[in-house]
Amino acid sequence: QTLEDLMMNDAQCGGADTLDSAQTGRPVVFGLRAKDGCGYRSLTSTADDFDATVTYPMIFNVSAMEELETCPDFPQTRFSNISIAVHNGNLEGEEPAYCSSWSDVFVFSYTPTFFGEPLMSISYESGSSDTDKTLIDNVMVAVDTAPISSATTKVIGSVVDADDVHVVCEAGVESRFQVVAYDESGNRIMKHGDADKLAVNVMETPSASYFVENAPEPGIYNVFITYAASGTFTLQVTLSNNTIYEGTVTCSGSMIRMMDQLNIDFPEARFEHTVVSYNDDLYVFGGARSDKTYLDATLKFDLDIKQSSMYYSFKRMVMVDSMPEEVFNVELHLDTEMLISSGKLKEDCSDLRFFTWEGDSTLPMWVEPSQAPAGCGSSSTSVWIRVPGGMERFWMYYGNKQAKSTSDASSVFGDMFEDFEYTNSPLDMGWTVEDVTSDSCTPDAGYNPGEAASFYTSDLVSMTGTRSLRANIADFLGGSLEKAVPMMKRFTMKVYMYDLKCEGAHFVSPDFKVCQPADPLMGSAQYKAKLPNLDNGVGVYTSSDNDTYCVMYPWHSSTAVREHGWHSFTLRDDDEHLRIVYDEEMVLPLRAADVTTDITKIFLRAARLPDEDFSSVFWDSILITEYNPAVSSAYMEEQPVIFSREARWETVGVQNPPPARQAHTAVVYQTAMYIFAGERSAYQYSDIWRFDFESSSWEFQRPINSFDDLGRSDHSAVVYNHSMFVYGGRSPAALGDFWAYDFESKTWSRMPTSPGMMPRFGHSAAVSHNKMYVYGGYISEEGKLTDEIWSYAFEDMQWTKIGPRTNNFESNGSGDPSDAMLFPQEIPEARLSMTAVITGMEPALYIVGGIGGASMMEEQPDLWKFDIEQLEWKWMASNSLLARYDSAGALIADGSILVLFGGHGDGDFMSDAVFVYVGETGLQQSNH
């Protein structure tokens, strides 16, 4: 590389770079001028006289899983050893000469490709000396990462797949993936600052909603995405407008969900009440009880889901068979592999939660980590839950992509869990090293004093946390490390060992006895006959078998083949039989079928064996808990829910509320809810009340004018601009009049009606842009329910019957044939007392529930969408939770979720809240 090349490669040739700092992928350039002993320019040196390098330190390659040639450590790898190029001032390349004016100038350059703290060294071979002269001696260079690169940055998570396999998600329910930042040289960037450069595009679907936030680990970004509709789409992730991932996503339709009532005191059941939303809180007023008495309470439902992700989406009941009367650690085997692959559970299982049956408290739990054989992400993940005595059932929740992990082994096992998360010596943490212990009591192995320095914590590998215990008999003598535990006759002890596949004796035991050597004149067989027959253990014992894990005593091999990495050994005794299980699956053979023991200690042995190389292993995450073979657990069928621990009901506006009533309307204008009309004991109200959301207070609104025929119930009311528009209802006869109330002037105005629009009540109305749409209801003059849709244009004050029409050319308000629904098309059953809203990026009318059918009293369990542009109905869902009438609902989450509360259903009166996703025409971007 020439100096001209360096200059073209963005090197700072106008000034030398600093020697103690650099950036990956960017050339570093500096210079030296040669002088002789008298300080004059030296023109006789050449570039070959210099030896210049940047050397990175050796590191342990923990990821190496190949057969090691040297024990006991992981293989060491040097990131890089960079030779620094030396350029002489003679640019033409001729031999240095006194007439070459820059032959005493030497320019040094190198380009670091790895971040870290390498050492720079430069030496010079003097022609007048046999020794090199050191110019720069191991100066540390702080090499930082280069800016984030779209060529190397990675996208990971269950919502994406590098092999372009379809990933399952649910429309309207948040998913998550992560972006891991790398620079152009492939170095992990260990800092945040690039979130605003990431963007997501979902093709072949209405707009999805997403936001990016910094993950707890530097250089990683969480991307939360909610897909608007069901179907198969292409997901594209870009970094600074460059594509870093493109794959396929398949989303199912959204499930109908009930607000889970665990730990939430729901109000009494009611019907013909009203519900509005303000800042995603629900406000309920009035209605009637099941005994037909009237309500005047104003209720606020704080959903605590200002964003649609702040809740759990699924729950299951967990049943425990033969639960003891005392607190017990229950092990639940959960198929987290399936839950993660279906997009329901986070990749690290951090959104798992367990609650008591009553919901008054959470249950401490620990999910075995992902690298464990039964860890998070496996088909049979071990989840340990500390359950109060006698509790035979409790709840499990999951499906919250923003939840933080509460998995904590110490909260489950207390002092009976050891994860070595400290830098102190284990001897400072309750462990002891025995002076005289041995795995066998033969003369050459007896009196083997332990060396405490053999056991220390290390951050090279870990099962949980960041540290583990290293048992090192390469640099130290080894020995026996133990910690006393309360004696248990029935117990489970699980330990994790990182096997480097070296030689030696590394095993764990719950009962190992200190044995003294017998008379050296006895034979070895007689020695073994005198050994305690309750000594049991498992691990590595290469004098017995170098290829499999061995069990004692006496030592014998098994069918469990040794492999690099973490492995679990579980010792379980029910006071009749001891079982030792390897990696959750393989039961290792014991010396006899009736072996049993009591646990009294955690005993870890690290010993050199004759004629074998020295070695090391790592131990971590040792747990001990009571075992009861009669206790078993199982989880029941999955239930889609909305669950938030912080959601709550409260009574507001207790001073001077409106009179109790039912069948009234409620609308929102600016920062207030307005109640109009309604019925009580056959009296038809015509009053207006204003509830201020900010002050939580009621105020009666006295209109400037009034009319005798304003009183009504079962009518509709909507807001357009600064007015409330009221249509129809009954008083007690069906009404077909149309009114406008101006909020600012407090005046009523009579509005035009259509001659073809029969009086009706129990209908619904909603607004889109500059039109009001009226659907359904009961037409008393005809004695039937209607399935008509009418629109009213506010600007030209015209009514239009959208359909169904029997004659497109009638002069009764039918309007232009192009404004009519086209047939054939499937339409919903005619009904009344349903809930209707208009929402979406491409607005559509949604109707839910109501009563209809041949008897006009059949509960309708369905959700329908009417496309306002295409004038087409589409069936969306059927669910028993929707089978209700005289309910009320409102939109939250930027109009993507309709929440229904109360009503009649299944022959009963309801007090539940049901969430219906209605955002499939597109979602607004989150404001995170």
Side-chain angles (χ1 to χ4, degrees), residues 456-472:
Y456 53 91
T457 65
S458 167
D459 60 2
L460 278 178
V461 290
S462 63
M463 172 57 64
T464 55
T466 60
R467 306 187 72 82
S468 61
L469 177 74
R470 183 170 189 173
N472 182 354

Side-chain angles (χ1 to χ4, degrees), residues 767-785:
V767 171
S768 175
H769 300 304
N770 63 351
K771 289 184 179 180
M772 176 180 71
Y773 293 83
V774 177
Y775 170 77
Y778 179 74
I779 301 177
S780 57
E781 291 185 22
E782 298 180 350
K784 67 175 185 179
L785 303 175

Side-chain angles (χ1 to χ4, degrees), residues 489-491 572-578 596-598 627:
K489 290 185 172 298
R490 301 196 300 183
F491 67 90
R572 223 173 235 130
D573 199 303
D574 61 2
D575 202 27
E576 294 183 359
H577 301 91
L578 172 68
T596 184
T597 189
D598 301 335
Y627 174 58

Side-chain angles (χ1 to χ4, degrees), residues 369-382:
S370 57
Q371 56 186 329
C376 173
S378 69
S379 59
S380 184
T381 301
S382 287

